[in-house]
């Protein structure tokens, strides 16, 4: 049985010590972060890292993010250019992952970086994650704690539901504040490029770095070898088909709403607001993108259980955090690219 250990302000250090002991012994820990729950393992130990791939059913060509306690620790594993220093200074600890040239002498498991000469580094802000990494003394790989290709977990219950006893211990610290995975910024090339949008937006980064930030657009022709291996076009997917930019709800569909439901009708007559509770979730009645991001995966997961014909999703503005929300929804909807991840 997976042990679930509730973390409070009072017991945070003991909880971190207990989880660190599990990791030191080569086990896996469900780790709360401000974005989503991670499935943590010792990044220096190949056997621990292999367990992460196995537990998630994740293909070994999809590299993991290495989580560090602070920038000083991260510098041991990646080569920091001036841009990386500026981004770390401004956004760490926080929801930003940097792709940098890898330092081979750092000792990170080659499996974690999937044989690439770059490495993904992040310093998370959640107090439980910080306490845990500090207690370990070694860095942690931590992909989202879900079976590969499934929705990312934003509560301890999602972790336990998705991975069962493949995870030895879950540090339970309630729902994640942000609810969407970190922004992945590639600084290994000539120009900075966002590989995965997140709570740190292109605008935020362009202010901090003083230059324009490109957004990587996945190329359907290159599906087999995407630039960031995790950026397969279908990902974060519920089982139920997802229909975007819905202006009404078809018979048998569930609705993922955003903002007011006033003008949302049922095809053939009636109002969306009268849908049964199992078939209707609103990301944010007031149209707040932060609230919507925090609710996204949990609500998709809940609607997926309704076994509806499809999940209709209302339009979400593509500004600020809306870009990251739409990115995840787009992937959830890309059924033609269905893969086995
Ligand atoms: O918010 C987050 O980032 C969460 C929490 C737990 O920290 N973690 C997370 O990890 O989302 P994961 O493994 O689900 O996503 C990591 C992404 C994948 O898309 C992966 O392909 C990409 O980062 N990635 C990792 N290393 C890379 C590299 N060297 N080059 C390009 N992409 C890389
Ligand atoms: Mg993931």
């Amino acid at each position: 049985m997976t042990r679930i250990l509730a973390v409070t302000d009072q017991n945070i250090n003991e909880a971190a010590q207990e989880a660190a002991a599990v990791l030191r012994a080569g086990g896996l820990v469900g780790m709360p972060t401000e974005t989503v729950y991670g499935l943590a393992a010792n990044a220096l130990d190949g056997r621990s890292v292999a367990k992460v791939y196995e537990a998630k059913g994740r293909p070994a060509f999809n590299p993991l993010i290495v989580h560090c306690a602070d920038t000083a620790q991260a510098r041991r594993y990646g080569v920091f250019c001036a841009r990386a220093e500026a981004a770390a200074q401004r956004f760490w600890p926080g929801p930003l992952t940097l792709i940098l040239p890898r330092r081979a002498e750092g000792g990170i498991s080659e499996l974690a970086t999937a044989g690439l000469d770059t490495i993904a580094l992040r310093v998370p802000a959640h107090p439980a994650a910080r306490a845990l990494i500090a207690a370990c003394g070694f860095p942690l790989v931590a992909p989202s704690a879900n079976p590969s290709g499934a929705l990312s977990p934003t509560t301890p219950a999602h972790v336990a539901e998705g991975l069962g006893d493949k995870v030895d211990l879950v540090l339970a610290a309630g729902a994640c504040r942000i609810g969407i995975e970190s922004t992945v910024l590639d600084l290994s090339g000539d120009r900075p490029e966002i590989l995965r949008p997140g709570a740190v937006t292109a605008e935020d980064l362009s202010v901090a770095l003083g230059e324009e930030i490109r957004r990587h657009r996945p190329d359907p022709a290159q599906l087999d070898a995407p630039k960031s291996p995790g950026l397969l076009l279908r990902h974060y997917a519920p089982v139920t088909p997802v229909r975007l930019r819905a202006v009404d709800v078809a018979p048998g569909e569930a609705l993922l709403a955003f903002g007011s439901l006033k003008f949302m009708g049922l095809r053939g007559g009636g109002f969306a607001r009268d849908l049964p509770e199992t078939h209707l979730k609103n990301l944010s009645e007031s149209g707040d993108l932060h609230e919507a991001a925090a609710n996204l995966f949990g609500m998709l997961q809940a609607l997926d259980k309704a076994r509806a014909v499809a999940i209709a999703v209302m339009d979400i503005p593509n500004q600020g955090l809306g870009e990251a929300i739409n990115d995840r929804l787009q992937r959830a909807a890309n059924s033609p690219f269905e893969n086995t991840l």
Side-chain angles (χ1 to χ4, degrees):
M1 265 300 282
T2 304
R3 193 160 130 58
I4 308 227
L5 177 58
V7 185
T8 62
D9 289 348
Q10 285 69 43
N11 77 349
I12 185 164
N13 289 319
E14 295 94 276
Q17 288 299 341
E18 190 173 336
V22 170
L23 292 166
R24 222 170 277 129
L28 304 185
V29 168
M31 171 175 77
T33 83
E34 70 279 23
T35 57
V36 299
Y37 275 75
L39 182 63
N42 180 352
L44 303 179
D45 177 43
R47 289 182 60 168
S48 301
V49 176
K51 277 195 202 168
V52 170
Y53 283 98
E54 195 190 354
K56 282 184 60 87
R58 179 169 175 134
F61 54 74
N62 191 357
L64 306 174
I65 298 173
V66 174
H67 295 64
C68 296
D70 51 32
T71 306
Q73 188 182 29
R75 286 195 196 100
R76 288 194 230 154
Y77 309 114
V79 181
F80 276 64
C81 55
R83 286 172 176 137
E85 291 292 349
Q89 168 79 27
R90 172 70 185 80
F91 299 107
W92 280 357
L96 176 68
T97 294
L98 299 178
I99 308 291
L100 301 176
R102 183 173 68 97
R103 281 191 198 282
E105 72 278 14
I108 299 291
S109 145
E110 295 262 355
L111 185 56
T113 48
L116 298 176
D117 54 10
T118 53
I119 186 168
L121 292 163
R122 157 159 137 83
V123 176
H126 196 291
R130 306 204 73 195
L132 177 57
I133 303 168
C136 287
F138 46 78
L140 301 177
V141 291
S144 47
N146 53 279
S148 196
L151 295 166
S152 288
T154 52
T155 65
H158 288 168
V159 179
E161 237 173 79
L163 294 174
D165 51 17
K166 291 178 186 148
V167 47
D168 298 296
L169 173 72
V170 179
L171 289 181
C176 300
R177 178 168 59 82
I178 294 172
I180 257 185
E181 304 87 344
S182 61
T183 304
V184 176
L185 178 67
D186 185 358
L187 293 178
S188 68
D190 293 342
R191 293 173 52 193
E193 187 175 42
I194 290 181
L195 301 184
R196 177 174 77 180
V200 175
T201 64
E203 294 73 30
D204 298 336
L205 287 164
S206 115
V207 170
L209 300 187
E211 62 191 312
E212 173 116 29
I213 309 293
R214 281 194 297 190
R215 295 157 168 88
H216 179 69
R217 299 260 174 254
D219 175 0
Q222 282 193 359
L223 253 193
D224 293 335
K227 166 123 192 199
S228 185
L231 295 180
L232 295 160
L233 290 184
R234 179 166 165 94
H235 202 55
Y236 313 105
V239 174
T240 314
V242 171
R243 183 168 73 84
L244 301 180
R245 281 175 289 279
V247 292
D248 61 6
V249 183
E253 281 187 338
L255 177 65
L256 184 62
F258 178 79
S260 167
L261 274 181
K262 221 174 174 168
F263 299 109
M264 205 59 188
L266 302 179
R267 215 173 278 173
F271 296 101
R273 61 168 184 266
D274 297 326
L275 283 167
E277 206 210 318
T278 50
H279 285 60
L280 174 61
K281 301 281 172 223
N282 198 330
L283 290 169
S284 169
E285 280 170 34
S286 65
D288 179 308
L289 288 168
H290 288 91
E291 187 185 9
N295 282 331
L296 180 66
F297 291 126
M299 288 186 172
L300 271 175
Q301 203 143 342
L303 289 179
D304 202 18
K305 291 194 177 127
R307 292 290 174 258
V309 173
I311 300 172
V313 184
M314 282 168 73
D315 198 30
I316 290 163
N318 206 37
Q319 273 113 47
L321 198 46
E323 205 177 312
I325 297 173
N326 282 320
D327 171 81
R328 304 311 189 272
L329 284 169
Q330 193 71 56
R331 288 170 205 286
N334 266 337
S335 49
F337 301 106
E338 184 139 18
N339 60 47
T340 53
L341 301 189

